[in-house]
Amino acid sequence: MAKAFSASRRHLLMTGSALLASGLMPRGAFAQTPIRVAGIYTVPVEQQWVSRIHLAAETAKAAGRVEYSYTENVSNTDYPRVMREYAEAGVQLIVGEIFGVEQEAREVAADYPDVAFLMGSSFLEDDSLPNLAVFDNYIQDASYLTGIIAGSLSSGNVGMVGGFPIPEVNRLMHAFMAGVREASPEAKFQVSFIGSWFDPPKAKETAFAMIEGGADMLYAERFGVSDAAQEKGVLAIGNVIDTQGDYPETVVVSALWHFEPTLDAAIAAVQSGAFKAANYGLYSYMKENGCSISALGTFEGKVSGETMALVAEREAAIRAGTFTVEVNDEEPKSS
């Protein structure tokens, strides 16, 4: 599997067009017979990132495209066993996240060449493993736009709480920071990682410390951050899902991930017999409708017209391909 682990992640930017040109996703070409899909998740389906995959699968199920089942809270040590159980049960497409079990998961996929695996991964596809495709939440476009809004509302001290400093988190933080600097060039950042994907109390305590350090705007990459912001009367920016309904006076806007384009492409490929090793990260891009920013909602009219005009201008350019948000997977640092 060395090829998959040594390939440059920047390869994504060069192969995106080729993925579309390959005919991987014959849009709208769904077979009448639903395929069997299983989701394997290491966290509860309520968790931000996984919830988007789960929602897309439930949407496909409601439309009659798939039969969908799932298992949540699967430990990394148990992950390969669950993969095998679903494969043995005749599932045609297995969706999940293998960030903590890359090698073992690829070994399982190799044992079931007739099963399609679409897995969240930090690494690229391996052509020698044709039944495993990878994806990721490349929603840096939306993160950048929310950063512009955040920068316009902050005094210049921004706190950022993440789970782990892995590419999937780092690129969103960097894009957000770039957006903040667009509106507030001298902004400073407090950056911290809690070492967990789901530990709201720890995220909350980390956010409290940042507020004590002067932060008046928080980037809520993890659950718990917006709770701290709400208690202390500062603002927050959401990530992956829209949480303004829970924090109407706190969460200004969110960068939303839409997994439907990714899953639809995989379903179509399985149904047409064209599923192959590929990088489905492309379908998270804004121009593919894989991400967006939420409506301002309760903050409508509280963000300047000038700021929103800039956001609209940048979004139009992103969708047109004339403006590119940098993909930076390096660990962000406090400034």
Side-chain angles (χ1 to χ4, degrees):
M1 299 301 141
K3 180 179 177 181
F5 289 84
S6 61
S8 168
R9 297 186 184 97
R10 300 298 184 268
H11 176 66
L12 169 68
L13 302 179
M14 296 183 288
T15 59
S17 297
L19 186 59
L20 279 178
S22 69
L24 179 63
M25 183 182 179
R27 299 179 189 276
F30 294 105
Q32 292 184 351
T33 302
I35 66 170
R36 295 182 62 188
V37 175
I40 308 175
Y41 311 120
T42 61
V43 293
V45 291
E46 291 81 12
Q47 189 259 11
Q48 301 108 297
W49 196 87
V50 161
S51 73
R52 309 310 290 177
I53 303 171
H54 182 64
L55 174 62
E58 289 285 3
T59 300
K61 177 182 177 180
R65 298 174 186 166
V66 305
E67 297 175 2
Y68 172 60
S69 57
Y70 68 93
T71 304
E72 58 188 338
N73 293 316
V74 178
S75 67
N76 285 334
T77 55
D78 210 26
Y79 207 94
R81 179 189 63 79
V82 179
M83 290 176 68
R84 291 184 184 279
E85 287 183 352
Y86 275 123
E88 292 285 348
V91 168
Q92 295 161 274
L93 173 64
I94 296 177
V95 183
E97 13 103 26
I98 58 173
F99 301 105
V101 63
E102 293 277 356
Q103 188 67 40
E104 297 89 341
R106 292 169 188 264
E107 290 172 357
V108 172
D111 289 340
Y112 297 93
D114 294 329
V115 179
F117 294 84
L118 178 65
M119 312 305 285
S121 172
S122 296
F123 301 96
L124 292 180
E125 73 279 10
D126 182 350
D127 290 337
S128 69
L129 191 60
N131 63 320
L132 188 145
V134 297
F135 70 87
D136 211 341
N137 61 326
Y138 280 84
I139 64 169
Q140 66 278 349
D141 299 329
S143 297
Y144 166 78
L145 296 179
T146 63
I148 294 175
I149 295 172
S152 74
L153 297 175
S154 173
S155 65
N157 190 329
V158 179
M160 306 181 69
V161 181
F164 292 93
I166 64 173
E168 293 64 37
V169 175
N170 298 345
R171 71 175 66 107
L172 306 188
M173 285 189 162
H174 278 295
F176 175 80
M177 294 164 79
V180 170
R181 293 190 184 103
E182 183 97 14
S184 180
E186 303 303 318
K188 303 297 181 182
F189 300 91
Q190 302 178 58
V191 181
S192 184
F193 298 92
I194 63 171
S196 172
W197 291 130
F198 195 73
D199 191 343
K202 189 172 183 178
K204 184 177 180 179
E205 288 304 316
T206 303
F208 277 147
M210 291 179 174
I211 295 170
E212 291 177 4
D216 61 0
M217 174 67 71
L218 296 177
Y219 176 74
E221 200 271 328
R222 292 292 99 194
F223 279 155
V225 176
S226 294
D227 294 286
Q230 180 175 252
E231 289 188 24
K232 295 297 184 179
V234 304
L235 300 177
I237 301 295
N239 179 58
V240 176
I241 63 174
D242 184 1
T243 55
Q244 190 183 81
D246 296 322
Y247 309 95
E249 304 303 319
T250 301
V251 175
V252 181
V253 68
S254 300
L256 307 180
W257 184 29
H258 307 294
F259 193 69
E260 287 78 4
T262 304
L263 184 59
D264 287 349
I267 292 171
V270 171
Q271 289 174 326
S272 66
F275 191 88
K276 62 181 182 180
N279 194 327
Y280 280 69
L282 168 69
Y283 295 107
S284 290
Y285 278 54
M286 183 167 280
K287 65 182 180 181
E288 297 297 328
N289 296 316
C291 67
S292 67
I293 63 171
S294 64
L296 289 178
T298 55
F299 281 83
E300 191 71 45
K302 299 178 183 179
V303 181
S304 73
E306 179 182 3
T307 296
M308 293 313 298
L310 177 59
V311 169
E313 176 186 335
R314 290 285 188 265
E315 178 173 348
I318 289 170
R319 291 186 180 277
T322 58
F323 184 88
T324 301
V325 178
E326 180 186 10
V327 176
N328 184 347
D329 289 348
E330 297 177 1
E331 181 177 344
K333 305 293 184 180
S334 298
S335 54

